[in-house]
Amino acid sequence: MKIALDPYMFRALPIEDMVRTVAELGYEHIELSPRDDFMPFFLHPRANDERVATLKNSLRTHGVQLSSVLPLYKWSSPDETERQAAVRYWKRMIEITADLGCPLMNSEFNGRPEHAAASEAAFWRSMDELLPVFEREGIALNLEAHPDDFCEENTPAVDLVRAINKPWVNYLYCAPHSFHLSGASEVGADIAKMMRYAGDKLQHVHIADSFNHKGSSGLRYILNPPGTTARIHQHLDIGQGEVDWDAFFGTLRDLDFDGVATACVFAWEERAHESSAFMLDRITKELTV
């Protein structure tokens, strides 16, 4: 198993300083997430040969490896122009990931929940174009359900991953999404049940805490205007929210989880070092023997 840090809270640091900081915190792996100078959200990658070499050299110097690369593109957009652009961006980012020597990428389904059927059709068109590229480069893919994507819930997301029917395409369970993954009709989140449903497809977890937005009769948060379709969740330190961590870590141990466990707290940029160190200590205690 690999314990990685998503260094998003350190994205303002130059690449060399970001890698050095992650190493000093004690992490041996990085899950590279969007940063404006390398891989922006929803735009063509900015990384050129020089920046790729800088990252490779920094990883080598500080003894850190990439566990995975996490790009976010609109590959499930019902707008065909957006979808085609996203496929171009994906192809370039796959090329960069291969150059970095990283064997794994992960991402979200994207698309729109109010246009779920059209978004899924777009997703499959993108899969038709991109799966051969992943396969040719020998790069695996993990997919996660995300609030406000066309696929937001655990069971449909796992089924969709299985439908891709590739042994190297697997599922990512994101703990801070738990209360969305369980569906609107469930007050809580049966984390153990959802993880067990994924079974052998569960190859990646994102670890951060969140509050149950459905709690207190749906009044945990009051959003305006009434009836807004906005989604809400947090990425907090373990113990600051309401995720059932006994169920989460206990199920991973029961399943003999041997994938990637990424600390992905985003809420505390003012105490990013302390938060990241705390997360590594807690995850290590829970998942390594």
Side-chain angles (χ1 to χ4, degrees):
M1 187 191 67
K2 299 175 181 178
I3 299 176
L5 178 67
D6 180 333
Y8 190 71
M9 291 195 292
F10 300 108
R11 67 193 179 281
L13 295 175
I15 289 172
E16 304 96 316
D17 293 342
M18 178 271 288
V19 175
R20 175 182 51 77
T21 298
V22 172
E24 289 174 350
L25 286 165
Y27 286 87
E28 297 179 358
H29 294 89
I30 290 173
E31 178 165 298
L32 185 65
S33 58
R35 47 182 292 147
D36 289 344
D37 63 352
F38 201 92
M39 182 179 64
F41 284 103
F42 307 123
L43 299 173
H44 193 280
R46 299 313 196 230
N48 58 7
D49 290 346
E50 181 180 354
R51 286 185 182 166
V52 170
T54 296
L55 178 54
K56 290 171 72 173
N57 291 335
S58 299
L59 292 167
R60 188 180 308 113
T61 296
H62 296 289
V64 180
Q65 295 180 326
L66 289 182
S67 65
S68 41
V69 174
L70 193 169
L72 291 173
Y73 302 126
K74 296 181 180 180
W75 59 350
S76 299
S77 174
D79 182 304
E80 182 61 12
T81 299
E82 280 190 336
R83 189 198 70 81
Q84 289 181 11
V87 168
R88 287 196 297 273
Y89 307 162
W90 262 110
K91 288 179 178 179
R92 173 58 180 148
M93 203 60 225
I94 293 170
E95 180 181 38
I96 291 169
T97 301
D99 193 10
L100 289 167
C102 181
L104 176 65
M105 302 180 79
N106 58 277
S107 195
E108 302 164 5
F109 288 109
N110 200 255
R112 299 298 312 146
E114 67 271 20
H115 300 295
S119 295
E120 181 174 335
F123 173 77
W124 285 112
R125 288 197 296 275
S126 296
M127 287 293 99
D128 287 343
E129 294 183 60
L130 291 172
L131 288 175
V133 184
F134 281 106
E135 199 152 21
R136 183 180 69 241
E137 298 293 348
I139 294 175
L141 175 66
N142 291 331
L143 295 170
E144 66 171 297
H146 195 284
D148 208 42
D149 282 1
F150 82 84
C151 190
E152 302 180 272
E153 298 179 12
N154 185 80
T155 295
V158 173
D159 289 345
L160 190 52
V161 167
R162 291 192 184 280
I164 295 172
N165 204 33
K166 297 287 187 182
W168 43 269
V169 179
N170 289 292
Y171 184 60
L172 187 159
Y173 185 93
C174 187
H177 300 168
S178 292
F179 303 107
H180 290 279
L181 291 171
S182 60
S185 63
E186 296 185 36
V187 174
D190 192 336
I191 289 173
K193 180 180 179 181
M194 290 190 286
M195 285 182 160
R196 291 186 184 281
Y197 187 79
D200 62 353
K201 281 293 179 181
L202 179 62
Q203 294 295 319
H204 203 138
V205 291
H206 279 171
I207 303 178
D209 215 336
S210 186
F211 288 108
N212 180 4
H213 65 284
K214 296 178 287 187
S216 196
S217 302
L219 296 175
R220 181 81 81 232
Y221 297 95
I222 297 173
L223 301 176
N224 290 311
T228 179
T229 59
R231 274 64 162 172
I232 186 169
H233 69 283
Q234 300 78 34
H235 282 248
L236 306 167
D237 292 355
I238 291 171
Q240 293 181 328
E242 297 175 284
V243 171
D244 185 343
W245 293 107
D246 288 341
F248 180 85
F249 287 120
T251 304
L252 289 178
R253 290 191 294 265
D254 289 345
L255 293 173
D256 294 322
F257 178 76
D258 193 32
V260 179
T262 303
C264 58
V265 174
F266 306 141
W268 305 117
E269 291 184 4
E270 65 274 22
R271 50 179 294 274
H273 290 78
E274 295 85 349
S275 171
S276 300
F278 165 80
M279 292 293 288
L280 177 60
D281 180 67
R282 179 63 185 272
I283 295 167
T284 301
K285 288 177 179 176
E286 294 282 1
L287 294 181
T288 60
V289 181

